[in-house]
Amino acid sequence: MKKNLLKNPAVQSLIASLLCIFLGLLIGYIVLLFINPAGAWDSIVEVVKNFMHSPRPERQLRSLGTTLVRTAPLLMCALSVLFAYKVGLFNIGVAGQYVAGVCAALYAALAWGWGWLPCMLFALAAGAVLGTLVGLLKAYCNVNEVISGIMLNWITLYTTNMLLSKVKEVASPYTLHLTSNAPQALLPTLGLGRFFSDNQYVTIAVPLAILFAIGVNIVLDRTRFGYELKATGNNRNAAKYCGMAEKRNIILTLVIAGALAGLGGSMLYLTDLEQWSVTATSVPGMGFNGIAATFLGGLNPIGTIFASYFIQHITDGGTNVDLTMYCAQISDLISAIIIYLCGFVLFIKQSMNKRIAKNEELRLQKARLAAEEGGTK
Amino acid sequence: MSVVLLIQYTLIFSSVLLLVALGGCFSEHSGVINLGLEGIMVIGALGGALVMRFLPAGTPGILIVLLTLLAAILFGVLYSCLLAVASINFKADQTIVGTAMNMLGTAGATVLVKAINTALNPDDHSSTIQYITAKKAFIVNIGAFEFNWFMLVAVIMLAFAYITLYKTKFGLRLMACGEHPQAADSVGINVYRMRWSGVLISGMLGGLGGICYILAGVSEWKFENGVAGFGFLALAVMIFGQWKPLRIAGAALLFGLFRALSNVYFGFDWLVSLNLPGTVYNMMPYIISLLVLAFTSKKSRAPKAEGIPYEKGMR
């Protein structure tokens, strides 16, 4: 019998994700229609177009490059969420771990004059420390990782603002520019900017993030550690019964998740594309968008690469909407709707399977009937 | 003077935490983990703030108070339907849906408020709503102490929660659905309906808590900021209170005190002489809640079936 393509779980995930995107954009469009029907269609098109917004190809390439620069940290955050989710942990602390990475990288670069590699490693360590805290609290004190993660997000935000105030510009709340104050900490570009109309912000961070995605894929699918993590995630008690060190795995997972997010923080801020504002009153959306990318990517590291790009694509596209009618946050709204819809993915897959099973049964029944008829005649 | 101010802020922040934590309590007792409280607070606050902003100037104070409360409740309840549909009927992962609701709340409120502001004045791209005059309706000055009607609302809701949960048929059935839904179903309780009620009540209380929060110390609110993790602080209060209304009230007072300190610490000479940066006081509620959770979560009395979607026919 011909194998049904729809039965393939990867195909099902893809269909479910595309459905989420389509519905997310549709609902976003309806919201725009309610606000002001005149420019709704143009604005939603702008969101989807992003870098194609500019008519000149060189400008397009340049803004594509900038979107990629922001995709790298987003991908790292998404990988962090994904890694923890495989063990059944919801790492909402990713936002704080990302901020810790930003704080460590910028402080080491501006206050101590460290080079880019030590700065990155320091950021990695900072994220890992936060991850460890969540892990220890979860493993030994049974503290819900979502609540401890949120608490640490706020603690990290306030600490970061306090520390980075020491390396900020005198007249503004922003941290000093790396290009003029700490050029040694800028990530090497390896001439990658050439492909994006000399966009100096495109650095090794972009390919590095993709390598990490592949690495996470290998660890999860091809190593004993990855197998143990997934087993613990599927059934904690069964894993424990099989002799897997469940507590150690929980802590180790969150250490790695935190490290990934922390590294992500350094990947954006060591390009000097953005400066940290020490008056920030909320944790940046990067971490939370990472959650969106994880689930949109069907909880697969390779899928996450594309999902991260998509989320960043519409986030940047949001800045192009007609600001006399709408605001850039329409993209955040669409991302949030997409995550909400991702909650239904399991249901979508189940109903797909149910339909396939029903159809197959019908066909079998028909075949049997036909055979019986043939037999009696 | 500063002691009065400290008491005033403690009471108002405790009221916020108490309302929202009771909301979480209802939802979790019915078996649904409500991580979306933060988003529900934002939407409830939005409803209340819009009413305060657009009521005509001469509206009597009592009417302002009632309409604002009503709007916050209505918005909160409607918004909580998102959680109920997804987690009860579609058996979605409650953590994902809750997180999405938090992001959706802030993003949605920002988009809406900005759209309204821009429509009224094309140069205004802020996400701030002002309610300076309307706010006065909520406050009664008793000497130096500013009494806020929300303190009374919180106490009433505490009584309501206690009586509903422990003294009515509905409350006991609700709690049964969070402990052992199959058993509840077997004696003819409609688990789905009970869980829906639990989530909608948490929407009502979360919405009230939201409007109370943005009225606590200020007379305008920037919706881009959300509610600064208060929904999650309330969940910490609920866990510390072991899912029991009276203990939750005690926990809310403790957390409220630490939150209030960041507003008034400079009024106390001995606190100022410690020479700590103000940021430390801002961090205090979050640090305290981490510590408290670390010591109390081990022997937690969480409802047994919370977070597990109920499926008829599954044993």
Side-chain angles (χ1 to χ4, degrees):
Chain A
M1 213 175 99
K2 207 176 72 181
K3 225 179 153 193
N4 195 334
L5 191 66
L6 282 176
K7 258 171 137 176
N8 185 335
V11 176
Q12 283 188 348
S13 296
L14 186 67
I15 292 177
S17 293
L18 290 176
L19 199 64
C20 288
I21 290 178
F22 173 73
L23 287 174
L25 288 172
L26 183 72
I27 298 173
Y29 174 57
I30 294 172
V31 171
L32 289 183
L33 274 183
F34 268 106
I35 294 174
N36 190 341
W41 179 250
D42 290 336
S43 290
I44 205 83
V45 168
E46 286 294 350
V47 169
V48 178
K49 263 164 79 179
N50 179 19
F51 66 87
M52 275 93 88
H53 165 77
S54 164
R56 289 181 24 223
E58 59 269 35
R59 289 274 294 280
Q60 286 189 4
L61 265 181
R62 205 178 150 78
S63 52
L64 170 65
T66 307
T67 300
L68 286 178
V69 172
R70 292 210 179 91
T71 305
L74 180 61
L75 176 55
M76 297 302 284
C77 288
L79 290 174
S80 165
V81 178
L82 178 131
F83 205 78
Y85 199 76
K86 291 286 177 188
V87 205
L89 297 171
F90 195 76
N91 185 23
I92 204 166
V94 61
Q97 292 148 10
Y98 168 82
V99 173
V102 174
C103 177
L106 284 181
Y107 196 80
L110 290 164
W112 300 330
W114 286 13
W116 64 271
L117 189 60
C119 279
M120 264 186 135
L121 294 176
F122 193 46
L124 180 146
V129 167
L130 280 191
T132 317
L133 267 176
V134 178
L136 287 173
L137 284 170
K138 174 79 184 179
Y140 290 104
C141 303
N142 190 29
V143 177
N144 184 324
E145 76 276 10
V146 176
I147 297 176
S148 62
I150 293 279
M151 298 302 150
L152 282 170
N153 284 353
W154 288 98
I155 296 172
T156 314
L157 178 73
Y158 286 122
T159 316
T160 301
N161 283 344
M162 202 156 64
L163 280 175
L164 291 186
S165 300
K166 297 191 175 121
V167 290
K168 75 179 188 70
E169 290 169 347
V170 183
S172 81
Y174 293 99
T175 50
L176 293 163
H177 264 298
L178 289 184
T179 323
S180 41
N181 295 287
Q184 84 288 347
L186 285 173
L187 293 177
T189 60
L190 297 182
L192 286 171
R194 245 181 308 143
F195 303 109
F196 301 97
S197 320
D198 289 324
N199 188 331
Q200 75 273 30
Y201 302 116
V202 183
T203 62
I204 55 163
V206 178
L208 204 59
I210 294 175
L211 282 181
F212 269 103
I214 296 169
V216 166
N217 199 16
I218 293 172
V219 169
L220 284 176
D221 276 357
R222 298 267 180 272
T223 65
R224 188 184 140 165
F225 176 58
Y227 179 79
E228 283 198 5
L229 291 190
K230 285 194 282 190
T232 313
N234 280 334
N235 189 334
R236 188 163 297 171
N237 293 328
K240 199 169 162 186
Y241 182 70
C242 293
M244 297 173 189
E246 148 244 26
K247 279 190 177 150
R248 193 206 62 185
N249 282 350
I250 287 179
I251 298 170
L252 204 54
T253 307
L254 281 164
V255 171
I256 296 174
L260 288 169
L263 201 57
S266 70
M267 282 182 174
L268 179 59
Y269 281 81
L270 290 182
T271 62
D272 208 21
L273 176 65
E274 277 180 30
Q275 298 160 276
W276 180 269
S277 159
V278 298
T279 50
T281 47
S282 57
V283 188
M286 194 61 91
F288 299 115
N289 279 344
I291 299 173
T294 308
F295 290 104
L296 188 60
L299 289 170
N300 173 298
I302 307 303
T304 305
I305 301 178
F306 297 103
S308 301
Y309 176 74
F310 174 78
I311 296 285
Q312 194 56 49
H313 182 89
I314 60 167
T315 305
D316 285 353
T319 53
N320 295 336
V321 298
D322 187 347
L323 287 177
T324 56
M325 291 185 243
Y326 316 109
C327 64
Q329 276 81 2
I330 187 72
S331 309
D332 294 347
L333 187 72
I334 295 174
S335 304
I337 295 169
I338 289 178
I339 308 190
Y340 179 73
L341 292 169
C342 282
F344 294 80
V345 162
L346 191 70
F347 176 79
I348 298 174
K349 282 186 181 172
Q350 265 174 2
S351 43
M352 255 195 267
N353 280 334
K354 235 184 237 167
R355 244 190 117 110
I356 294 168
K358 209 170 155 192
N359 281 344
E360 260 173 18
E361 203 168 325
L362 268 177
R363 207 177 317 130
L364 276 177
Q365 223 167 13
K366 260 185 204 158
R368 208 178 304 134
L369 272 176
E372 271 172 21
E373 268 175 28
T376 48
K377 263 177 196 170
Chain B
M1 176 63 207
S2 41
V3 175
V4 176
L5 212 56
L6 180 67
I7 294 174
Q8 177 191 320
Y9 274 109
T10 303
L11 285 181
I12 191 70
F13 284 124
S14 304
S15 305
V16 179
L17 288 170
L18 177 60
L19 286 169
V20 183
L22 287 176
C25 179
F26 269 97
S27 171
E28 299 219 350
H29 271 309
S30 77
V32 180
I33 297 182
N34 191 346
L35 287 178
L37 278 171
E38 181 111 351
I40 293 176
M41 282 177 78
V42 173
I43 297 295
L46 175 72
L50 285 178
V51 166
M52 287 193 287
R53 169 78 176 72
F54 287 108
L55 273 183
T59 319
I62 181 78
L63 206 61
I64 296 183
V65 172
L66 285 178
L67 286 177
T68 307
L69 293 188
L70 216 62
I73 290 177
L74 188 71
F75 272 56
V77 167
L78 285 178
Y79 192 62
S80 66
C81 290
L82 282 180
L83 174 68
V85 172
S87 60
I88 302 169
N89 301 89
F90 287 94
K91 298 167 182 64
D93 184 319
Q94 294 169 11
T95 312
I96 303 177
V97 173
T99 308
M101 283 176 65
N102 293 337
M103 296 171 64
L104 198 61
T106 311
T110 309
V111 167
L112 200 72
V113 174
K114 280 193 175 182
I116 292 171
N117 281 342
T118 313
L120 292 176
N121 172 10
D123 296 324
D124 185 358
H125 297 302
S126 77
S127 62
T128 307
I129 295 187
Q130 287 188 339
Y131 36 81
I132 301 164
T133 39
K135 193 197 165 192
K136 290 184 186 131
F138 285 86
I139 287 166
V140 183
N141 285 311
I142 307 171
F145 180 77
E146 269 187 13
F147 173 79
N148 192 317
W149 282 114
F150 276 109
M151 298 171 189
L152 186 65
V153 172
V155 174
I156 294 173
M157 284 302 159
L158 176 62
F160 158 79
Y162 183 82
I163 293 170
T164 313
L165 279 180
Y166 295 122
K167 306 287 175 203
T168 66
K169 209 160 67 179
F170 168 78
L172 294 169
R173 288 181 170 178
L174 186 89
M175 291 202 283
C177 292
E179 294 293 334
H180 201 312
Q182 287 81 5
D185 199 357
S186 74
V187 290
I189 299 171
N190 186 336
V191 178
Y192 296 117
R193 191 182 296 166
M194 280 297 162
R195 290 196 165 178
W196 261 91
S197 331
V199 173
L200 292 187
I201 294 175
S202 85
M204 169 182 105
L205 291 168
L208 273 179
I211 185 64
C212 178
Y213 179 64
I214 69 164
L215 275 168
V218 290
S219 45
E220 59 168 39
W221 192 256
K222 192 175 169 200
F223 277 89
E224 251 166 290
N225 287 344
V227 291
F230 247 68
F232 287 95
L233 278 178
L235 284 176
V237 166
M238 177 194 74
I239 295 172
F240 187 37
Q242 298 286 308
W243 290 264
K244 296 186 179 102
L246 293 179
R247 293 180 71 163
I248 289 178
L253 276 175
L254 176 75
F255 277 59
L257 173 70
F258 280 104
R259 175 61 183 76
L261 269 183
S262 75
N263 279 41
V264 295
Y265 72 92
F266 39 78
F268 294 87
D269 292 333
W270 62 276
L271 281 177
V272 175
S273 67
L274 289 178
N275 228 346
L276 292 169
T279 321
V280 172
Y281 294 99
N282 286 332
M283 281 195 267
M284 206 68 100
Y286 308 104
I287 297 175
I288 299 290
S289 75
L290 263 189
L291 288 176
V292 159
L293 287 177
F295 287 110
T296 52
S297 294
K298 195 99 195 181
K299 49 174 181 11
S300 111
R301 273 287 301 122
K304 289 231 166 44
E306 67 168 14
I308 309 162
Y310 178 63
E311 262 179 272
K312 262 190 158 114
M314 222 177 62
R315 268 184 282 176

